[in-house]
Every structure is written in C-alpha cells, then in structure tokens.
C-alpha cells in the first residue's frame, strides 16, 4: 500500500476539492474494488489508489510522483477492454480518465476533432453527425468505451475493413511520458517531421505513457448504406462468398459472419428475425447510390451462386438496425446458451477460414466443448467463443487451454493472436508463440526508450521471462515458484 | 587511403561471400538477402564502421548527407516474394523498384495504393524510409495505413519482424511504423508486407483553372465535403495561373453522374469570382506527377505541410514569393524557388504556416550547403533516446535525420 506521504502528494497534485466536487482520490477498499478488473473479469487485482485528474497538468503531476517513488500506474477509460489491459498493477495506482471527457475543438472543414481521452467513442460521432460526418472506428462497446482506451488498444470494429483502425484516424496526441514530461506527437497537418511516434503509441496498450489530448480525423457520411443478410448451409459456402466478393473488387463497409450457435443466441436475446441456418453472412456496402446498387446486385448473385437459400436486403433503416443489433449483441447473448464463455480474438488470412474452422470444430469435439463463432469475415478476424460451465470442476481450465490453442492455430496459419482486443494480461504468453525472441527484444528497445523504469502498465503485452521447464500458454506458477525456490520479479 | 584499403581487406576477409566493391574511396556492399545485411551490420557495428543505405538513390539529397564508410546497396534484394491475391496482401523485398512491384501485382488487378515520386526507379525501401506519398493518399492513406508488417535488420545484426501478413493485427509494437520515415537511422528495412487494394474500375480527371487560387480553394473544400468518389486532388500554383485537378474513381456509369455533380460544384465556386474559371475533363494521368516536374529545373525544392483550409492561401503566397507549387488536398505542398530568393521565401512561408495553424517546412533539395534541410526542427530527448536504443554507435545513415541523428 502507499504510505500517507505519497497519498498526500497525490492529493495535492489533484488540487483542492471544490464544495460540489467529490474527491479525485480514492483509497477506500470498497470503492477501489470497482477498478479491480476490466472486461476480462477472471483476472483481478486491487490498486493501492485511484486518481481522477481533470487536466493534463494534474496527470503530469501524478505521473511525476509515480516516477519519483517508482509506483506503477495503469490508465483506465471505461474499463471495457477484453484482454486485461486496464487490470491494475499490484500495489500501483489507476489513473481514471472519467473526468477528462470534453470535446475540445471541432473543425469540420479540415475534418478534425480534438478530444480529451475520456470522451466516449460514440459521442464523437454525435458531435459531428449534424454536419454529415462520423468517427469511423466502431468497436462493439462504442456507446461506452472511450477514445483513450481506443488509442491504447488500436480499437477496430466491424467497419474497419473499409475505414481502417484507430491508428488510421489519430493525427496527433499530447502524451505524458512515464517520466512526467508532457510531449506532443504528430500534428493536425500531415507528416510532422521526426519518427512516427503517434504510429508507435497507438496500440501500445498503455505501456509507453498516457495520452491527455487526441486529434482525430472524421469521415464524411456515405450517400447510401445497404445491408444484405444471406443464409447458408455451411460456413465454407459463406466463406467462399466472402472471398468472391473481395475478388470482384468490392470493398464492403462490413462483411460479418455468424455460425448457427451465435445466431441462435442473438435471436433468443434481441430477436433480429435471423433465418435458422449454419452460417449467416452480413454484407454492408456504402457509397454513392448508383455504385452501391450495382455492387449489391453483384454481391447478391455471388451469395446465391455459393448456395445462399435466403438473401434478404434490409429495406429500411429500422431493418438495417435490427440486423446489426443481432450481430452486436452476439457476445452478451452467449449467456442464453451457456453459463460461461471465453471470447478469443484471432486473425487468419481470409482464405484459411474453411480450414481453420474445421480444425477448431475438431479441437472442440476432442475436449467435448462447444464453440460459437462470430467473425469479421472480411478481414479474417475470428471471435470464437468457447462455451463452458464453471460449476463443472476442471472445465474452465480445459476451456482456457482450448482458447489459447485456437490462437496458436491462427498463428500457424499465418495470422495473429489479436485483431482488436489487444494482448494485455490475457495473451502475454501467446506473444512468445507469435514473435521470436529477437522480435520481442527489439520491441523492448522502444519500451526502454519511453519507460526505462517499467512503470507504465507493467507486466502486460510482453511474455514474462520463462523459467526452464515452464509450459507455454497462460501463466501458471512454475513448480519452483510453488516450492518457494524461485520467484518472478 | 591505406586505412580504407586495410578496412576493405578486413571486411572482405570477414564477409567473403558478400558482393563488395569500391566507389569514390568507399566500400560498397550489395547483399542478396536479409541474412547478408545482418552479417554486414553486425561486422560494421563491431568495427565501428558507418553505413549509408541506398536504394536507387533518387532521394539521396533529402536530409543531411550521410558521410559513411560503407555504401550499402539494397538493389540486389529485389522481387515480389509472395502475392496472396485472394487475401489482398503481398510481401516484397526492399530493393524492388516500385513500378516492378506494381506490374507484378497488376496481374491480379491489384496494387499498393500509393503514388510516390519517380516510381520507375525509386525502390520500395527508399520510399518507405522517406515516407513518400502522392495525391492518392487522400483516399487510401499513407504508408502507415498500407504496411502491415516488416523485416528489419538492426545495427547490431539482429533480424526482427513486426506486424504480420494479415491486415488486422494489434499484437506488439508496430516497429514498421517507427521505421517508416526514419530515413534509415533505426534499422535496415529488408522486406515489407503490404495490404493491397483492387485497381479501380475506372478513373476520370477533371481540371479547373483560374487566374486566382481562392475560387479553386473553395471548390477543393466543397469536393472534400462532398460524397463524390474522389481518390486524388491537387492544386497547382504557377505565375501563369492556378489549376485544381480532381480524380474520381468508381464504376463507369457512376462516373458520368458524379462528373455532372462536380460541374455543379464548380459552377457554384466560379460564381463567387470575377476572374477566369474553366473546367475540363482531361485524359492525361500524368497530371498527377506534376510534383516531379518541380525537380527537373534548378532551384530549391521544399515540402510544406498545412491544413487543407490553408492550401489556397499558401499556394498564392508561394507564387507571390516567386515559386511554383503543387499541393495535395491532404495538405502536403511541394514548391520550387530560385536559389537566390529561396531563403527569404522559406522564412516567409514558414511564418505563414505558423500563422494559419499547424504545419511544417523541410527542404528537399538545395545547392546551398548552409542551413539545415530540417529547418528549425530539433530532435527531442525521446527521439534521441530511441536512436540510442536502436543504434547506440550511430552507424546507420549517421547525421542524415533531423537534429543530426
């Protein structure tokens, strides 16, 4: 725990509380428990304190205190992350951006918006919608997740197939480095001379510092949006349709697939009126009306050619919304068909989809578990959900092991262990499967330049040093640790 | 000379399998693969020999001159290693000329959606090291958005990979973004994974001309704010007048409709000016290589960046200062000034960029050795520390980058 002198320093850094302002420093255990995990709820740690700064200067003062006393810190937005990125460090503090949630500047002609990191993703679009613009990255949690968290994770979403990821839309940032220095990366104008520190910082999962101001690029709303729903008898036929649509030179705004189990769960949860089938394909095209119309006709033909027995074009904005509601509810809907589940986030080359799905089914059958699948099929991003029952002794371990083996399967097919959820705490050991030691050592050069004392979100993203004889996969205590002979530090 | 000969002999002995030579008293090395590059940098690092990395050398005059012991020619590392056309990705060796790569990818009607300077000769690695981009950046983004993975060789011979071969991937730090635009000061790029785009079904270019920049600037802002399928746009500024080039890309039948809409916007813009204003369709795709023409005549060539809303104002200022400019709608200006008036023009333009908001100015080519190509931009402590971590002995392209890095 932090001693009273440090707490007093933090209190002073946050400034005096106004008469109507609650304290920006939390130390009571029952309140700290709110911050003990993020969206990955099976990993928890209690922070020593939580601070809620209102300004970049306060963030700077807090980080300076951390640097001086070598206290680890973890930045937190809405805590919706799915890989434990906002999991507190043992004995460390959490910097919550809940109070830095102002949109600072809107420049419609230059298509830029300047925000504080605590601004909710969807609020950026709300602020510019009247001018015919939107903020493109749309993670499923967009109505609650914050831009600061999106920057840390390089968040994607269903529409990044066409519009790109968070990194495509961040132009500049003010960042408090782990030594407390406040610096600016990038600029509103393109190509700020120097290394592309914005590019490196976005997606670094809070390990290189804390962003306090972010300049975003916004995008003009397309003239027309159309959504097609197609039902297939096999995921292979749906996957072939995805390849054919891409091969025809189209770049859909979104290409999503759901298998029988996930479609059934969504149907039970939000009643999107999905047909009962082995694979559902959702194709969204946007752009000039005449272009969308012509391409949608072609996409429909391609789906039919691959055996789609029902092809439904949403006729109204309401129908379109309902189709998407079912897709976006897929994770939460799993509760309808299974007491517990683990979501994974592997990526494979699109063409490997049929082969990987077959292998996944086999692996699940071998351990007698079910897997429900939701994919961003257009960019090969799989979200397999391993269903299990915590009440059955040993089943959670089997499910966890299966979920990691699925990631390795993705890597074996030339893919990645994460497409948008981040490595965080959850997949840090899997990094060693995807990257070689020289690759990871080179990444550490960046880490050391930014954070020589390893204070910013420590023990995340990179694998922990392995002891001889340690098993790969999720962290398990080494027998030497259990015996008290060796320990990690 | 004796020292050089001694070093050359030693290098040849240690790296017997490498193709080596001599050029103007410097050792030249032409490795054929990543491992040979690694062997060279490892040896150079141990011997504290400095290395200048060269592709085709088209942009060698950009940045400070790197005075190095060894010239590392990358042109033998050439070719498209893999083209997964169904996945819209490709792996390419860094020494490949840009156009050679594009010709190979075009067999499946795909390309890397970027239009760099001198694509016939410039290599993939050199284009990345200098973070070049053309007018297509408006639609497809810069190299940051098109590179999905990279193999690099560090100063100590470490071979490292970052990213991967899939478009969507957030595992680990994006070292490839750090290497892009680093002018070879952090590592040697040997192989690159690109995301590809389908070649557009059809493109058409319209050019609006006027005696004044302002109405064309208005039209440009209207097009940016429209739902037209614009893939490239630039404002050319010359003492004889101004021209706005707009390239639309979509299905042929849609292009006709959009052409009409573009004409409507142009009418609206022209109604606000007293000067001349004409719009015509052109079939000459060369119009978008206009920035290359700036380099064909003598003079100082600069790159200035700005917000799109400042393009018209700064274009007319460049002309008033005696210059010729081509500015992409993303806010990147290339301009040429005569040697004798350049210094005054540069400082005036710098002041105007500051006054209009965000932006920067760097000198791409100048006969003068005095002054820094990086202008008044210094290297901050973090930038220096990154360099120190990656290349502690400063052996890679020494002095080339800003702040003498």
């Amino acid at each position: 725990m932090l001693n009273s002198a440090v707490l007093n320093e933090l209190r002073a850094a946050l400034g005096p509380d106004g008469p109507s302002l609650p304290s920006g420093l939390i130390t009571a255990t029952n309140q700290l428990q709110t911050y003990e995990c993020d969206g990955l709820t099976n990993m928890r740690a209690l922070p020593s304190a939580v601070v809620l700064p209102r300004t970049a200067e306060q963030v700077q003062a807090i980080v300076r205190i951390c640097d001086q006393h070598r206290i680890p810190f973890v930045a937190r937005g809405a805590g919706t992350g799915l890989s434990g990125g906002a999991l507190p460090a043992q004995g460390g503090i959490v910097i919550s951006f809940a109070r830095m949630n102002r949109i600072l500047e809107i420049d419609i002609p230059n298509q830029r918006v300047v925000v504080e990191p605590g601004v909710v993703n969807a609020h950026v679009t709300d602020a510019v919608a009247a001018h015919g613009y939107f903020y493109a990255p749309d993670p499923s949690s967009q109505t609650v997740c914050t831009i600061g968290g999106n920057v840390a994770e390089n968040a994607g979403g269903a529409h990044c197939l066409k519009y790109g990821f968070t990194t495509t839309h961040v132009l500049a940032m003010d960042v408090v480095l782990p030594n407390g220095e406040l610096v600016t990366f990038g600029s509103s104008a393109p190509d700020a001379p120097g290394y592309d520190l914005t590019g490196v910082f976005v997606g670094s999962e809070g390990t290189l510092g804390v962003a306090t101001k972010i300049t975003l690029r916004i995008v003009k709303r397309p003239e027309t949006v159309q959504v097609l729903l197609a039902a297939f008898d096999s995921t292979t036929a749906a996957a072939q349709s995805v390849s054919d649509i891409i091969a025809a030179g189209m770049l859909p705004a979104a290409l999503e697939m759901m298998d029988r189990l996930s479609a059934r769960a969504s149907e039970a949860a939000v009643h999107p009126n999905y047909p009962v089938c082995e694979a559902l394909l959702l194709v969204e095209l946007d752009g000039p009306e005449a272009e969308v119309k012509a391409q949608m006709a072609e996409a429909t033909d391609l789906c039919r050619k691959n055996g789609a027995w029902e092809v439904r074009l949403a006729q109204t904005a309401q129908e379109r919304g309902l189709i998407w509601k079912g897709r976006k509810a897929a994770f939460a809907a799993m509760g309808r068909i299974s007491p517990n589940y683990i979501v994974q986030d592997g990526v494979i080359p699109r063409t490997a989809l049929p082969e990987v799905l077959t292998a996944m089914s086999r692996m699940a059958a071998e351990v007698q578990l079910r897997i429900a699948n939701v994919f961003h099929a257009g960019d090969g991003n799989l979200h397999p959900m391993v269903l299990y029952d915590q009440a059955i002794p040993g089943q959670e371990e089997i499910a966890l092991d299966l979920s990691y083996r699925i990631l390795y399967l993705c890597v074996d097919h030339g893919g990645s262990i994460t497409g948008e959820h981040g490595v965080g705490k959850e997949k840090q050991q899997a990094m060693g499967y995807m990257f070689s030691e020289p690759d990871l050592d080179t990444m550490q050069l960046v880490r050391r330049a930014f954070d020589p004392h390893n204070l910013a979100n420590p023990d995340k993203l990179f694998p922990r040093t392995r002891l001889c004889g340690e098993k790969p996969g999720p962290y398990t205590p080494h027998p030497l640790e259990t015996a008290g002979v060796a320990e990690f530090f | 000379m004796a020292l050089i000969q001694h070093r050359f002999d030693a290098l040849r002995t240690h790296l017997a399998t490498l193709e080596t030579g001599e050029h103007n008293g410097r050792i030249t090395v032409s490795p054929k693969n990543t491992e040979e590059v690694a062997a060279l940098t490892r040896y150079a690092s141990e011997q504290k020999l400095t290395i200048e990395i060269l592709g085709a050398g088209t942009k060698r005059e950009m940045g400070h001159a790197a005075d190095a012991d060894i010239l590392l020619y990358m042109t033998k590392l050439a070719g498209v290693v893999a083209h997964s056309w169904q996945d819209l990705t490709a792996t390419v060796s860094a020494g490949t000329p840009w156009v050679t790569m594009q010709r190979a990818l075009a067999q499946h009607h795909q390309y890397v959606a970027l239009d760099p300077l001198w694509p016939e000769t410039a290599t993939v690695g050199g284009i990345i090291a200098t973070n070049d981009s053309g007018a297509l950046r408006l639609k497809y983004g810069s190299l940051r958005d098109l590179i999905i993975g990279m193999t690099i060789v560090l100063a100590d011979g470490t071979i490292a990979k970052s990213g991967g071969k899939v478009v969507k991937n957030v595992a680990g730090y994006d070292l490839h973004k750090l290497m892009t635009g680093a002018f070879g000061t952090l590592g040697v790029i040997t192989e690159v994974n690109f995301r590809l785009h389908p070649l557009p079904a059809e493109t058409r270019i319209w050019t609006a001309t006027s005696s004044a920049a302002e109405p064309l600037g208005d039209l440009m802002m209207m097009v940016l704010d429209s739902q037209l399928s614009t893939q490239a746009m630039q404002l050319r500024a010359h003492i004889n007048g101004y021209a706005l080039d707009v390239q639309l890309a979509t299905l042929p039948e849609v292009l006709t409709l959009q052409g009409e809409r573009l004409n409507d916007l142009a009418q609206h813009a022209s109604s606000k000016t007293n000067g001349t204003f004409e719009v015509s369709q052109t079939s000459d795709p060369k119009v978008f290589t206009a920035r290359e023409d700036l380099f064909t005549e003598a003079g100082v060539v600069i790159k200035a960046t700005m917000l799109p809303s400042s393009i018209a104002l700064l274009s007319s200022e460049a002309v008033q200062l005696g210059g010729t400019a081509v500015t992409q709608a993303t806010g990147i200006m290339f301009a040429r000034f005569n040697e004798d008036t350049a210094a005054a023009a540069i400082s005036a333009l710098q002041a105007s960029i500051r006054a209009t908001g965000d932006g920067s100015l760097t000198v791409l080519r100048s006969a003068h050795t005095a002054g820094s190509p990086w202008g008044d931009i210094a290297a901050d402590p973090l930038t220096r520390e990154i360099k120190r971590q990656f290349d502690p002995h400063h052996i890679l392209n020494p002095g080339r980058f800003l702040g003498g890095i």
Side-chain angles (χ1 to χ4, degrees):
Chain A
M1 294 307 284
L2 302 174
N3 64 40
S4 60
V6 172
L7 289 174
N8 283 337
E9 281 183 51
L10 289 173
R11 205 169 277 121
L14 289 160
D17 298 336
S20 60
L21 297 175
S23 166
L25 177 68
I26 296 171
T27 53
T29 304
N30 62 340
Q31 289 179 305
L32 291 176
Q33 278 165 349
T34 307
Y35 300 88
E36 68 181 358
C37 69
D38 58 12
L40 184 75
T41 52
N42 64 342
M43 291 184 176
R44 290 167 193 263
L46 204 64
S48 292
V50 175
V51 290
L52 294 106
R54 291 182 188 281
T55 65
E57 290 70 29
Q58 289 183 358
V59 176
Q60 205 179 357
I62 290 158
V63 173
R64 279 203 178 117
I65 294 166
C66 290
D67 178 52
Q68 196 187 336
H69 300 286
R70 301 285 187 261
I71 303 165
F73 58 89
V74 177
R76 182 184 173 100
T80 56
L82 293 169
S83 58
L87 179 77
Q90 206 64 47
I93 69 161
V94 167
I95 305 174
S96 164
F97 282 90
R99 291 177 174 183
M100 287 179 70
N101 57 358
R102 291 174 305 159
I103 293 178
L104 302 172
E105 196 187 320
I106 297 174
D107 179 356
I108 295 295
N110 291 306
Q111 307 179 356
R112 280 135 172 85
V113 175
V114 184
V115 301
E116 289 184 328
V119 168
V120 169
N121 173 301
H123 293 179
V124 180
T125 292
D126 293 347
V128 298
H131 301 278
Y133 285 81
F134 71 111
Y135 177 62
D138 62 338
S140 292
S141 54
Q142 72 181 125
T143 54
V144 281
C145 68
T146 63
I147 296 297
N150 292 176
V151 165
E153 302 296 319
N154 189 13
H159 291 85
C160 57
L161 174 62
K162 177 168 183 175
Y163 290 102
F165 316 94
T166 299
T167 185
T168 315
H169 298 88
V170 175
L171 298 164
M173 280 184 301
D174 281 1
V175 169
V176 174
L177 297 175
N179 66 3
E181 196 189 339
L182 181 63
V183 294
T184 300
F185 296 159
S187 68
S188 275
D191 292 353
Y195 297 140
D196 182 8
L197 301 181
T198 313
V200 178
F201 191 90
V202 176
S204 61
E205 305 196 16
T207 61
L208 301 180
V210 185
T212 57
K213 190 168 91 173
I214 302 137
T215 304
L216 302 172
R217 195 169 67 86
I218 49 169
V219 180
K220 186 76 181 175
R221 273 226 177 275
E223 193 177 298
T224 314
V225 184
Q226 286 193 1
V227 179
L228 178 89
L229 193 67
F232 295 86
D233 281 334
S234 74
T235 46
T236 307
Q240 189 56 49
S241 305
V242 170
S243 287
D244 289 351
I245 288 168
I246 299 283
M250 285 179 244
L251 184 58
L255 256 179
E256 302 282 302
M257 207 199 290
M258 295 169 82
D259 70 0
R260 173 185 278 272
L261 261 182
S262 53
R264 199 178 89 199
S266 289
E267 189 60 43
V270 296
H271 318 299
N273 194 25
Y274 286 158
V276 178
C277 59
E278 287 304 313
L280 261 185
L281 188 64
L282 194 158
V283 185
E284 182 172 301
L285 292 172
D286 68 8
E289 198 173 342
E291 180 186 289
V292 170
K293 224 171 151 184
Q295 290 192 337
M296 195 50 103
E298 195 179 354
T300 306
D301 286 348
L302 290 171
C303 288
R304 288 199 196 283
K305 193 195 86 188
N306 285 301
W309 48 265
E310 184 172 340
V311 179
R312 203 189 286 169
L313 185 68
Q315 298 298 331
T316 62
Q318 202 180 1
E319 282 182 21
R320 217 168 53 226
L322 193 62
I323 289 176
W324 270 113
K325 191 176 176 187
R327 164 61 189 88
K328 294 211 170 189
F331 289 179
M334 283 304 132
R336 303 267 171 169
I337 58 167
S338 174
N340 307 94
Y341 66 94
I342 297 163
V343 185
Q344 268 310 353
D345 178 37
V347 189
I348 50 168
R350 219 170 6 239
T351 43
L353 196 57
E355 203 181 324
V356 168
L357 287 179
T358 307
M360 261 165 52
S361 303
R362 195 185 58 240
M363 285 157 66
E366 279 166 8
V367 293
Q368 294 172 327
L369 288 178
R370 293 180 302 165
I371 296 177
N373 276 303
V374 178
F375 327 113
H376 302 302
D379 40 31
N381 188 191
L382 317 178
H383 290 311
M385 286 169 281
V386 180
L387 312 182
Y388 69 99
D389 186 350
Q390 209 172 24
I392 300 172
Q395 202 172 65
E396 184 170 62
E397 287 70 27
I398 295 170
L400 264 172
D401 180 59
L402 175 60
S403 79
Y404 287 109
R405 284 190 290 123
I406 290 171
L407 293 185
Y408 300 156
L409 178 71
C410 292
V411 175
D412 292 343
H413 280 82
S416 167
I417 57 169
T418 175
E420 55 187 3
H421 294 175
V423 176
K425 189 74 184 166
E426 184 202 23
K427 292 186 279 286
Q428 63 181 148
Q429 292 309 115
M431 280 288 278
Y433 194 83
M434 180 164 166
F435 291 107
S436 70
E437 269 185 35
D439 303 340
L440 295 169
D441 289 347
T442 306
M443 291 179 196
Q444 283 292 344
L445 298 176
V446 178
R447 176 69 189 255
R448 280 206 291 277
F450 277 79
D451 184 17
H453 304 300
N454 201 26
L455 297 177
N457 214 2
D459 197 19
K460 305 265 178 78
L461 185 57
F462 294 102
R464 303 177 74 155
T465 316
R466 284 183 195 285
L467 298 174
C468 181
E470 188 187 344
K471 279 198 307 180
Y475 168 73
T476 46
H478 190 278
L480 289 174
E481 279 183 279
T482 320
V485 177
E487 63 180 333
F488 282 111
F489 54 88
Chain B
M1 199 64 202
L3 180 67
I4 288 165
Q5 193 57 49
H6 171 72
R7 284 178 155 186
F8 182 42
D9 292 344
L11 184 137
R12 254 207 311 219
T13 311
H14 276 86
L15 305 168
T17 55
L18 242 67
E19 189 181 320
T20 52
E22 266 182 280
H23 179 72
N24 286 347
R26 298 212 266 170
I27 304 162
T28 65
V29 185
S30 304
K32 292 181 289 301
N33 53 47
T34 300
E35 289 69 29
E36 288 191 353
V37 176
L40 172 71
T41 64
R42 194 178 307 117
Y43 178 78
S45 193
E46 285 162 8
Q47 302 297 317
K48 308 282 186 295
L49 293 169
T50 54
I51 301 173
E52 180 181 359
I53 310 157
L54 271 176
T58 55
K59 292 176 284 290
R60 198 177 178 189
E61 56 193 5
M62 294 180 187
H64 295 286
D67 184 19
D69 303 310
I70 299 169
L71 286 179
L72 166 53
Y73 287 112
M74 295 297 290
T75 40
K76 290 269 163 73
L77 269 98
V80 174
V81 179
H83 179 191
S84 305
W85 65 271
Q86 287 178 302
D87 293 312
L88 282 165
T89 61
T91 303
V92 185
S93 292
T96 314
W98 192 259
V99 84
T100 307
M101 171 188 75
Q102 297 289 45
R103 278 193 199 117
L105 302 176
Q107 288 170 14
H108 289 282
H109 305 287
Q110 295 175 356
Y111 73 140
V112 178
L114 189 96
D115 47 345
L117 286 164
W118 311 299
E120 294 287 338
T121 45
T123 62
V124 168
I127 288 162
I128 295 169
T130 52
N131 189 25
D132 191 17
S133 62
L136 280 180
R137 180 168 172 166
L138 182 65
K139 177 169 180 184
Y140 297 102
S142 63
L143 285 163
R144 192 210 275 186
D145 306 298
L146 301 172
I147 295 172
I148 55 174
M150 199 181 269
T151 304
I152 52 173
V153 175
L154 302 189
D156 66 359
T158 300
I159 299 172
K161 291 185 184 219
S162 80
K165 292 182 176 176
V166 285
V167 172
K168 199 170 182 185
N169 177 12
V170 296
Y173 295 150
D174 287 344
L175 297 174
H176 43 286
K177 295 195 173 97
L178 196 56
M179 297 298 142
T180 304
F183 278 75
T185 57
L186 296 177
V188 185
I189 301 165
T190 61
E191 211 168 84
V192 186
N193 303 332
F194 286 108
R195 75 169 293 187
L196 309 177
H197 285 85
L199 283 162
E202 193 169 323
T203 62
R204 279 181 214 165
I205 301 168
W206 282 262
T207 296
T209 55
S210 173
S211 53
E214 199 189 347
L216 295 178
D218 287 348
L219 178 57
M220 191 191 78
M221 295 308 284
M222 277 190 260
V223 173
L224 283 178
D225 188 48
S226 76
Q227 290 160 327
L228 294 171
S229 305
T230 314
Q231 78 163 20
M233 183 155 58
Q234 68 184 10
L235 182 65
R236 288 178 281 141
H238 191 268
I239 184 83
N240 296 333
Y242 298 83
L244 180 75
D245 307 305
V246 184
Q247 185 176 40
L248 304 182
T250 174
L251 306 174
E253 60 271 29
V254 184
L255 273 173
T256 307
L257 289 170
Q258 293 207 353
E260 289 166 14
R261 210 174 305 168
L262 181 63
N263 270 315
D264 291 345
L265 293 179
Q267 288 306 319
H268 189 71
S270 70
S271 66
K272 294 201 291 186
T273 176
N274 299 322
T276 58
F277 195 101
E278 282 172 24
V279 186
S280 61
Q281 204 180 313
T282 166
S283 55
D284 181 15
K286 280 271 175 206
V287 74
F288 279 102
T289 59
R291 67 185 177 126
E292 285 185 10
D293 300 340
L294 297 171
F295 292 86
T296 55
E297 287 176 37
V300 174
V301 182
I302 59 123
K303 173 180 172 180
T305 68
M306 59 204 67
L307 291 171
S309 58
S310 306
I311 291 174
L313 182 74
L314 293 171
S315 292
S316 70
E317 181 164 353
V319 169
Q320 279 159 25
L321 292 165
T324 305
V326 179
T327 311
Q328 299 154 7
T330 46
I332 304 176
M333 170 186 280
F334 293 81
R336 186 188 62 229
F337 298 95
N338 289 333
E339 287 284 351
D340 50 345
T341 56
I346 286 169
S347 76
L349 209 53
Q350 251 163 351
S352 299
I353 290 169
R354 269 194 286 271
T356 52
D358 220 345
S360 61
L361 191 150
T362 51
V363 178
L364 302 181
R365 186 188 73 184
S366 171
H368 295 296
T369 47
S372 167
W374 299 101
D376 51 4
I377 306 150
D380 57 90
L382 178 61
T383 298
R384 291 190 183 283
E385 182 58 19
I386 291 170
K387 170 69 177 177
R388 197 184 71 80
Q389 291 285 347
F390 276 79
D391 179 17
H393 306 303
H394 283 241
I395 67 161
L396 297 177
N397 276 358
R400 182 93 191 261
F401 203 45
L402 56 81
I405 284 175

